[in-house]
Amino acid sequence: MKDDLIFTPPAKRHFDPWAYVLLAPALVLLMVFLFLPALWAFLTGLNLTPDTSYDAVFSAYSSQLQSGLFWRAIINTLYFSGIYVPGALALGYVLARVLHRSVAKAPVLLLFVVPLVVPGVAVSFLWRWIFSQDAGLLNAALQVVGLPAIDWLGQAPLVLPSIALMSIWRGAGMVAIVFYVALRGLPKEFEELAEIEGACGWKKFVYLTLPALRPAWLIAILLLLINAHRVFSAIFVMTRDGGPANWATNLPFLIYRTGMRHDFDFSGASVISTMLCFTIALLVVLLRRNELSVRGGDE
Amino acid sequence: MSKRVRATLVLIVLAVVWVIPLVSLFFDAGRARSIGASVAGIDAHLLHVILFSAFVSAVPALFSCVFGTMAGYAISKKRFVGRNILYGMLLGVVFFPPVVFMMPLFKIVSVLRIYDTPLAFILPSAVTAFSIIYMKSAVDRISSSIFDAARIDGIGELAMLKEIVYPLTKGPLAALFVLQFLANWGALAMPLAVADSPARQTLAVYLALSVQKYQVIQRQELLLPLLLLMIPAAAFFFLKPIEITRGVLRTIIKCKDA
């Protein structure tokens, strides 16, 4: 009986009114400044005047779906993702691999985190200067090799790849962290086993590393995809109003343009916001279905 | 050459390439001089912008540490109706681009008649979804048995926060303050939504709007604001950056210990 008293596990925590007291300040602020305004925005996207027919409720949605700029923004977002996701993924993986093998690990990894910590406006400013046609670092480098200068941010099809290049520089550090942690989580014998079994180069990558790091690949891809749907300050700072012929207008920038700048079309912007948020929420659900194995110790 | 040495050499080259974009602008004698000149002759407006930015970045960051800890502790250690729904919503909101909240935020600050006032900067950032789930994951790492023992000793909930949660999460709290400060300091969409007068410009807005206005960015007078916008990021590296990175990773990604 005495033993029972000592070893009884703590009672299953049940409802505790204190939870609401502790949550109160956060919940009130979130309600007033986040959830209710977001709900208002969502409802603004629907046409809910009492006498409208069932079809008319979604009129703002159908008018967006018929808008050329909306599809342009979707294509631009996909175009951007198509360059940014594979680019940052490959570079980040290489970075993690090299880091994992080299002498100084974690402190050097931090160097690649700097671009993530510096504000997006500052980073975009720096890169706009780098990309500039007459005084930019990139064109100066091209001229040393004997190539002609390129107007990186002034030509329609080149704007997004240029911004993607900057974003790859920014995002690779994040991917490197994910892969670095995943590589450390692998058992030590892993590499030795691969060599004993005679696996090398591509074979080792395809049959061993790739399957063993599967959660890390999925997590990295999903994080990058989510990021690709969030790019805003780079477009704001590096282009003039969404780039030549709207070639840099992605979904976030279109929301800003529609709702806050050109015609204050709140319902139009709400419709795009709603669709964008649903897409991101879906990606987040997929993201949380994967688990990263982390090994403790001297990270 | 051994694999290890080769990897280190590749790493050094990559590191140099990575740093170039960050420092390229300031490695020019003429530009360094012009930054010096702009510091000497700093105009009243820019000075105001810097102080205002620091104020509306630090105050909400402090509040979000307090409210985030309270809410994070509740979500981590208590069971209540709607807990999982709340946590799921917060996790989603963390990843939403700030742009989608511009219009709703503009609407609510107008309704509350605080548009273009410092309150419009402070209140919406006084608690963030990130601060809550970050502190939740920090409190998750404190064993529940400590709280059970304290409860048996008759300690109240607020004392629990002060005597157990606060001392055991000092590291994550300092990190959270820096992360939230930097987020507010560099934010673009949110300050654009809640104010429009020059007196209510943050440094990021000031710089972004200057670029929009001139379109030519090779202007010496923009170098000082740019440098100032970048400098606070250094705070991240003076704390324990590796631990912060790990904490953020554990907050947004599901991790299991191998």
PDB file of all heavy atoms in Angstrom, chain A residues 215-241:
ATOM      1  N   PRO A 215      13.054  11.758 -44.252  1.00  0.00           N
ATOM      2  CA  PRO A 215      12.296  12.815 -43.564  1.00  0.00           C
ATOM      3  C   PRO A 215      12.947  14.190 -43.746  1.00  0.00           C
ATOM      4  O   PRO A 215      12.247  15.192 -43.934  1.00  0.00           O
ATOM      5  CB  PRO A 215      12.343  12.399 -42.085  1.00  0.00           C
ATOM      6  CG  PRO A 215      12.856  11.019 -42.055  1.00  0.00           C
ATOM      7  CD  PRO A 215      13.512  10.710 -43.349  1.00  0.00           C
ATOM      8  N   ALA A 216      14.284  14.218 -43.735  1.00  0.00           N
ATOM      9  CA  ALA A 216      14.975  15.497 -43.882  1.00  0.00           C
ATOM     10  C   ALA A 216      14.707  16.103 -45.263  1.00  0.00           C
ATOM     11  O   ALA A 216      14.480  17.304 -45.386  1.00  0.00           O
ATOM     12  CB  ALA A 216      16.471  15.317 -43.667  1.00  0.00           C
ATOM     13  N   TRP A 217      14.718  15.269 -46.297  1.00  0.00           N
ATOM     14  CA  TRP A 217      14.434  15.791 -47.643  1.00  0.00           C
ATOM     15  C   TRP A 217      13.035  16.378 -47.701  1.00  0.00           C
ATOM     16  O   TRP A 217      12.814  17.464 -48.217  1.00  0.00           O
ATOM     17  CB  TRP A 217      14.552  14.677 -48.698  1.00  0.00           C
ATOM     18  CG  TRP A 217      15.963  14.308 -49.000  1.00  0.00           C
ATOM     19  CD1 TRP A 217      16.666  13.260 -48.493  1.00  0.00           C
ATOM     20  CD2 TRP A 217      16.866  15.006 -49.867  1.00  0.00           C
ATOM     21  NE1 TRP A 217      17.952  13.250 -48.982  1.00  0.00           N
ATOM     22  CE2 TRP A 217      18.096  14.308 -49.839  1.00  0.00           C
ATOM     23  CE3 TRP A 217      16.754  16.146 -50.676  1.00  0.00           C
ATOM     24  CZ2 TRP A 217      19.209  14.715 -50.568  1.00  0.00           C
ATOM     25  CZ3 TRP A 217      17.862  16.545 -51.420  1.00  0.00           C
ATOM     26  CH2 TRP A 217      19.078  15.839 -51.354  1.00  0.00           C
ATOM     27  N   LEU A 218      12.079  15.609 -47.167  1.00  0.00           N
ATOM     28  CA  LEU A 218      10.694  16.090 -47.220  1.00  0.00           C
ATOM     29  C   LEU A 218      10.544  17.397 -46.437  1.00  0.00           C
ATOM     30  O   LEU A 218       9.917  18.344 -46.909  1.00  0.00           O
ATOM     31  CB  LEU A 218       9.747  15.025 -46.663  1.00  0.00           C
ATOM     32  CG  LEU A 218       9.617  13.791 -47.558  1.00  0.00           C
ATOM     33  CD1 LEU A 218       8.802  12.710 -46.873  1.00  0.00           C
ATOM     34  CD2 LEU A 218       8.968  14.181 -48.883  1.00  0.00           C
ATOM     35  N   ILE A 219      11.131  17.437 -45.234  1.00  0.00           N
ATOM     36  CA  ILE A 219      11.027  18.638 -44.409  1.00  0.00           C
ATOM     37  C   ILE A 219      11.650  19.833 -45.122  1.00  0.00           C
ATOM     38  O   ILE A 219      11.065  20.914 -45.196  1.00  0.00           O
ATOM     39  CB  ILE A 219      11.694  18.406 -43.033  1.00  0.00           C
ATOM     40  CG1 ILE A 219      10.805  17.498 -42.178  1.00  0.00           C
ATOM     41  CG2 ILE A 219      11.950  19.716 -42.316  1.00  0.00           C
ATOM     42  CD1 ILE A 219      11.435  17.040 -40.892  1.00  0.00           C
ATOM     43  N   ALA A 220      12.835  19.617 -45.705  1.00  0.00           N
ATOM     44  CA  ALA A 220      13.524  20.721 -46.380  1.00  0.00           C
ATOM     45  C   ALA A 220      12.701  21.209 -47.574  1.00  0.00           C
ATOM     46  O   ALA A 220      12.517  22.420 -47.757  1.00  0.00           O
ATOM     47  CB  ALA A 220      14.909  20.274 -46.839  1.00  0.00           C
ATOM     48  N   ILE A 221      12.169  20.272 -48.369  1.00  0.00           N
ATOM     49  CA  ILE A 221      11.385  20.674 -49.542  1.00  0.00           C
ATOM     50  C   ILE A 221      10.145  21.456 -49.116  1.00  0.00           C
ATOM     51  O   ILE A 221       9.823  22.505 -49.685  1.00  0.00           O
ATOM     52  CB  ILE A 221      10.982  19.437 -50.377  1.00  0.00           C
ATOM     53  CG1 ILE A 221      12.218  18.822 -51.038  1.00  0.00           C
ATOM     54  CG2 ILE A 221       9.942  19.810 -51.428  1.00  0.00           C
ATOM     55  CD1 ILE A 221      11.973  17.496 -51.712  1.00  0.00           C
ATOM     56  N   LEU A 222       9.463  20.959 -48.068  1.00  0.00           N
ATOM     57  CA  LEU A 222       8.237  21.636 -47.633  1.00  0.00           C
ATOM     58  C   LEU A 222       8.541  23.019 -47.061  1.00  0.00           C
ATOM     59  O   LEU A 222       7.828  23.985 -47.345  1.00  0.00           O
ATOM     60  CB  LEU A 222       7.504  20.774 -46.606  1.00  0.00           C
ATOM     61  CG  LEU A 222       6.818  19.560 -47.245  1.00  0.00           C
ATOM     62  CD1 LEU A 222       6.441  18.528 -46.204  1.00  0.00           C
ATOM     63  CD2 LEU A 222       5.585  20.004 -48.027  1.00  0.00           C
ATOM     64  N   LEU A 223       9.622  23.118 -46.269  1.00  0.00           N
ATOM     65  CA  LEU A 223       9.993  24.438 -45.727  1.00  0.00           C
ATOM     66  C   LEU A 223      10.287  25.416 -46.861  1.00  0.00           C
ATOM     67  O   LEU A 223       9.864  26.581 -46.824  1.00  0.00           O
ATOM     68  CB  LEU A 223      11.226  24.317 -44.827  1.00  0.00           C
ATOM     69  CG  LEU A 223      11.020  23.848 -43.390  1.00  0.00           C
ATOM     70  CD1 LEU A 223      12.362  23.736 -42.682  1.00  0.00           C
ATOM     71  CD2 LEU A 223      10.116  24.811 -42.630  1.00  0.00           C
ATOM     72  N   LEU A 224      10.992  24.943 -47.877  1.00  0.00           N
ATOM     73  CA  LEU A 224      11.326  25.824 -49.000  1.00  0.00           C
ATOM     74  C   LEU A 224      10.076  26.225 -49.777  1.00  0.00           C
ATOM     75  O   LEU A 224       9.924  27.375 -50.188  1.00  0.00           O
ATOM     76  CB  LEU A 224      12.328  25.140 -49.931  1.00  0.00           C
ATOM     77  CG  LEU A 224      13.749  25.002 -49.382  1.00  0.00           C
ATOM     78  CD1 LEU A 224      14.598  24.115 -50.281  1.00  0.00           C
ATOM     79  CD2 LEU A 224      14.399  26.374 -49.262  1.00  0.00           C
ATOM     80  N   LEU A 225       9.168  25.259 -49.968  1.00  0.00           N
ATOM     81  CA  LEU A 225       7.922  25.569 -50.679  1.00  0.00           C
ATOM     82  C   LEU A 225       7.116  26.617 -49.914  1.00  0.00           C
ATOM     83  O   LEU A 225       6.573  27.555 -50.501  1.00  0.00           O
ATOM     84  CB  LEU A 225       7.082  24.307 -50.850  1.00  0.00           C
ATOM     85  CG  LEU A 225       7.342  23.487 -52.111  1.00  0.00           C
ATOM     86  CD1 LEU A 225       6.504  22.223 -52.102  1.00  0.00           C
ATOM     87  CD2 LEU A 225       7.026  24.315 -53.357  1.00  0.00           C
ATOM     88  N   ILE A 226       7.051  26.451 -48.582  1.00  0.00           N
ATOM     89  CA  ILE A 226       6.327  27.424 -47.767  1.00  0.00           C
ATOM     90  C   ILE A 226       6.980  28.798 -47.925  1.00  0.00           C
ATOM     91  O   ILE A 226       6.322  29.804 -48.160  1.00  0.00           O
ATOM     92  CB  ILE A 226       6.318  26.996 -46.288  1.00  0.00           C
ATOM     93  CG1 ILE A 226       5.455  25.745 -46.101  1.00  0.00           C
ATOM     94  CG2 ILE A 226       5.799  28.121 -45.401  1.00  0.00           C
ATOM     95  CD1 ILE A 226       5.566  25.110 -44.729  1.00  0.00           C
ATOM     96  N   ASN A 227       8.315  28.821 -47.839  1.00  0.00           N
ATOM     97  CA  ASN A 227       9.051  30.079 -47.984  1.00  0.00           C
ATOM     98  C   ASN A 227       8.792  30.737 -49.326  1.00  0.00           C
ATOM     99  O   ASN A 227       8.674  31.947 -49.409  1.00  0.00           O
ATOM    100  CB  ASN A 227      10.555  29.813 -47.856  1.00  0.00           C
ATOM    101  CG  ASN A 227      11.073  30.277 -46.531  1.00  0.00           C
ATOM    102  OD1 ASN A 227      10.318  30.783 -45.713  1.00  0.00           O
ATOM    103  ND2 ASN A 227      12.361  30.109 -46.319  1.00  0.00           N
ATOM    104  N   ALA A 228       8.720  29.913 -50.369  1.00  0.00           N
ATOM    105  CA  ALA A 228       8.518  30.453 -51.714  1.00  0.00           C
ATOM    106  C   ALA A 228       7.175  31.175 -51.815  1.00  0.00           C
ATOM    107  O   ALA A 228       7.005  32.062 -52.637  1.00  0.00           O
ATOM    108  CB  ALA A 228       8.591  29.326 -52.748  1.00  0.00           C
ATOM    109  N   HIS A 229       6.222  30.809 -50.957  1.00  0.00           N
ATOM    110  CA  HIS A 229       4.916  31.455 -50.973  1.00  0.00           C
ATOM    111  C   HIS A 229       4.860  32.664 -50.050  1.00  0.00           C
ATOM    112  O   HIS A 229       3.793  33.212 -49.806  1.00  0.00           O
ATOM    113  CB  HIS A 229       3.818  30.462 -50.567  1.00  0.00           C
ATOM    114  CG  HIS A 229       3.525  29.470 -51.641  1.00  0.00           C
ATOM    115  ND1 HIS A 229       4.316  28.364 -51.867  1.00  0.00           N
ATOM    116  CD2 HIS A 229       2.545  29.429 -52.569  1.00  0.00           C
ATOM    117  CE1 HIS A 229       3.812  27.687 -52.876  1.00  0.00           C
ATOM    118  NE2 HIS A 229       2.748  28.304 -53.326  1.00  0.00           N
ATOM    119  N   ARG A 230       6.003  33.055 -49.461  1.00  0.00           N
ATOM    120  CA  ARG A 230       6.019  34.163 -48.512  1.00  0.00           C
ATOM    121  C   ARG A 230       6.836  35.358 -48.985  1.00  0.00           C
ATOM    122  O   ARG A 230       6.855  36.379 -48.324  1.00  0.00           O
ATOM    123  CB  ARG A 230       6.614  33.690 -47.176  1.00  0.00           C
ATOM    124  CG  ARG A 230       5.767  32.702 -46.408  1.00  0.00           C
ATOM    125  CD  ARG A 230       6.576  32.065 -45.288  1.00  0.00           C
ATOM    126  NE  ARG A 230       7.292  33.055 -44.532  1.00  0.00           N
ATOM    127  CZ  ARG A 230       6.907  33.510 -43.330  1.00  0.00           C
ATOM    128  NH1 ARG A 230       5.845  33.016 -42.774  1.00  0.00           N
ATOM    129  NH2 ARG A 230       7.595  34.419 -42.703  1.00  0.00           N
ATOM    130  N   VAL A 231       7.514  35.210 -50.126  1.00  0.00           N
ATOM    131  CA  VAL A 231       8.445  36.254 -50.559  1.00  0.00           C
ATOM    132  C   VAL A 231       7.715  37.571 -50.815  1.00  0.00           C
ATOM    133  O   VAL A 231       6.813  37.626 -51.641  1.00  0.00           O
ATOM    134  CB  VAL A 231       9.165  35.816 -51.845  1.00  0.00           C
ATOM    135  CG1 VAL A 231      10.084  36.914 -52.334  1.00  0.00           C
ATOM    136  CG2 VAL A 231       9.943  34.542 -51.586  1.00  0.00           C
ATOM    137  N   PHE A 232       8.085  38.592 -50.076  1.00  0.00           N
ATOM    138  CA  PHE A 232       7.433  39.882 -50.287  1.00  0.00           C
ATOM    139  C   PHE A 232       8.430  41.044 -50.326  1.00  0.00           C
ATOM    140  O   PHE A 232       8.490  41.783 -51.296  1.00  0.00           O
ATOM    141  CB  PHE A 232       6.378  40.133 -49.198  1.00  0.00           C
ATOM    142  CG  PHE A 232       5.792  41.514 -49.243  1.00  0.00           C
ATOM    143  CD1 PHE A 232       5.017  41.907 -50.316  1.00  0.00           C
ATOM    144  CD2 PHE A 232       6.028  42.422 -48.221  1.00  0.00           C
ATOM    145  CE1 PHE A 232       4.473  43.180 -50.373  1.00  0.00           C
ATOM    146  CE2 PHE A 232       5.489  43.704 -48.276  1.00  0.00           C
ATOM    147  CZ  PHE A 232       4.709  44.077 -49.355  1.00  0.00           C
ATOM    148  N   SER A 233       9.247  41.171 -49.267  1.00  0.00           N
ATOM    149  CA  SER A 233      10.101  42.359 -49.200  1.00  0.00           C
ATOM    150  C   SER A 233      11.100  42.398 -50.362  1.00  0.00           C
ATOM    151  O   SER A 233      11.462  43.469 -50.837  1.00  0.00           O
ATOM    152  CB  SER A 233      10.812  42.446 -47.853  1.00  0.00           C
ATOM    153  OG  SER A 233      11.571  41.297 -47.621  1.00  0.00           O
ATOM    154  N   ALA A 234      11.518  41.222 -50.836  1.00  0.00           N
ATOM    155  CA  ALA A 234      12.449  41.197 -51.966  1.00  0.00           C
ATOM    156  C   ALA A 234      11.799  41.813 -53.204  1.00  0.00           C
ATOM    157  O   ALA A 234      12.425  42.605 -53.912  1.00  0.00           O
ATOM    158  CB  ALA A 234      12.888  39.763 -52.261  1.00  0.00           C
ATOM    159  N   ILE A 235      10.527  41.476 -53.449  1.00  0.00           N
ATOM    160  CA  ILE A 235       9.828  42.036 -54.611  1.00  0.00           C
ATOM    161  C   ILE A 235       9.628  43.541 -54.403  1.00  0.00           C
ATOM    162  O   ILE A 235       9.804  44.343 -55.318  1.00  0.00           O
ATOM    163  CB  ILE A 235       8.442  41.366 -54.794  1.00  0.00           C
ATOM    164  CG1 ILE A 235       8.543  39.855 -54.633  1.00  0.00           C
ATOM    165  CG2 ILE A 235       7.801  41.779 -56.110  1.00  0.00           C
ATOM    166  CD1 ILE A 235       8.969  39.100 -55.811  1.00  0.00           C
ATOM    167  N   PHE A 236       9.281  43.896 -53.184  1.00  0.00           N
ATOM    168  CA  PHE A 236       9.010  45.301 -52.855  1.00  0.00           C
ATOM    169  C   PHE A 236      10.249  46.161 -53.086  1.00  0.00           C
ATOM    170  O   PHE A 236      10.167  47.242 -53.649  1.00  0.00           O
ATOM    171  CB  PHE A 236       8.568  45.390 -51.388  1.00  0.00           C
ATOM    172  CG  PHE A 236       8.016  46.725 -50.980  1.00  0.00           C
ATOM    173  CD1 PHE A 236       6.654  46.948 -50.974  1.00  0.00           C
ATOM    174  CD2 PHE A 236       8.862  47.752 -50.582  1.00  0.00           C
ATOM    175  CE1 PHE A 236       6.135  48.176 -50.592  1.00  0.00           C
ATOM    176  CE2 PHE A 236       8.350  48.983 -50.202  1.00  0.00           C
ATOM    177  CZ  PHE A 236       6.985  49.187 -50.201  1.00  0.00           C
ATOM    178  N   VAL A 237      11.402  45.663 -52.635  1.00  0.00           N
ATOM    179  CA  VAL A 237      12.618  46.474 -52.692  1.00  0.00           C
ATOM    180  C   VAL A 237      13.340  46.348 -54.037  1.00  0.00           C
ATOM    181  O   VAL A 237      13.877  47.311 -54.560  1.00  0.00           O
ATOM    182  CB  VAL A 237      13.578  46.084 -51.540  1.00  0.00           C
ATOM    183  CG1 VAL A 237      14.921  46.774 -51.680  1.00  0.00           C
ATOM    184  CG2 VAL A 237      12.950  46.427 -50.204  1.00  0.00           C
ATOM    185  N   MET A 238      13.335  45.141 -54.617  1.00  0.00           N
ATOM    186  CA  MET A 238      14.171  44.913 -55.798  1.00  0.00           C
ATOM    187  C   MET A 238      13.494  45.239 -57.120  1.00  0.00           C
ATOM    188  O   MET A 238      14.148  45.302 -58.161  1.00  0.00           O
ATOM    189  CB  MET A 238      14.680  43.472 -55.811  1.00  0.00           C
ATOM    190  CG  MET A 238      15.697  43.215 -54.701  1.00  0.00           C
ATOM    191  SD  MET A 238      16.099  41.496 -54.499  1.00  0.00           S
ATOM    192  CE  MET A 238      17.277  41.264 -55.811  1.00  0.00           C
ATOM    193  N   THR A 239      12.170  45.381 -57.116  1.00  0.00           N
ATOM    194  CA  THR A 239      11.508  45.697 -58.379  1.00  0.00           C
ATOM    195  C   THR A 239      10.676  46.951 -58.225  1.00  0.00           C
ATOM    196  O   THR A 239      10.378  47.390 -57.118  1.00  0.00           O
ATOM    197  CB  THR A 239      10.558  44.577 -58.836  1.00  0.00           C
ATOM    198  OG1 THR A 239       9.405  44.586 -57.985  1.00  0.00           O
ATOM    199  CG2 THR A 239      11.222  43.224 -58.750  1.00  0.00           C
ATOM    200  N   ARG A 240      10.304  47.498 -59.363  1.00  0.00           N
ATOM    201  CA  ARG A 240       9.418  48.655 -59.342  1.00  0.00           C
ATOM    202  C   ARG A 240       8.012  48.104 -59.563  1.00  0.00           C
ATOM    203  O   ARG A 240       7.661  47.700 -60.645  1.00  0.00           O
ATOM    204  CB  ARG A 240       9.825  49.599 -60.455  1.00  0.00           C
ATOM    205  CG  ARG A 240       8.940  50.791 -60.541  1.00  0.00           C
ATOM    206  CD  ARG A 240       9.419  51.707 -61.669  1.00  0.00           C
ATOM    207  NE  ARG A 240       9.069  53.072 -61.313  1.00  0.00           N
ATOM    208  CZ  ARG A 240       9.851  54.104 -61.577  1.00  0.00           C
ATOM    209  NH1 ARG A 240      11.009  53.949 -62.151  1.00  0.00           N
ATOM    210  NH2 ARG A 240       9.448  55.310 -61.244  1.00  0.00           N
ATOM    211  N   ASP A 241       7.237  48.067 -58.479  1.00  0.00           N
ATOM    212  CA  ASP A 241       5.834  47.685 -58.590  1.00  0.00           C
ATOM    213  C   ASP A 241       5.612  46.325 -59.258  1.00  0.00           C
ATOM    214  O   ASP A 241       4.760  46.172 -60.118  1.00  0.00           O
ATOM    215  CB  ASP A 241       5.082  48.763 -59.371  1.00  0.00           C
ATOM    216  CG  ASP A 241       3.688  48.954 -58.802  1.00  0.00           C
ATOM    217  OD1 ASP A 241       3.448  48.463 -57.691  1.00  0.00           O
ATOM    218  OD2 ASP A 241       2.858  49.587 -59.473  1.00  0.00           O
TER     219      ASP A 241
END
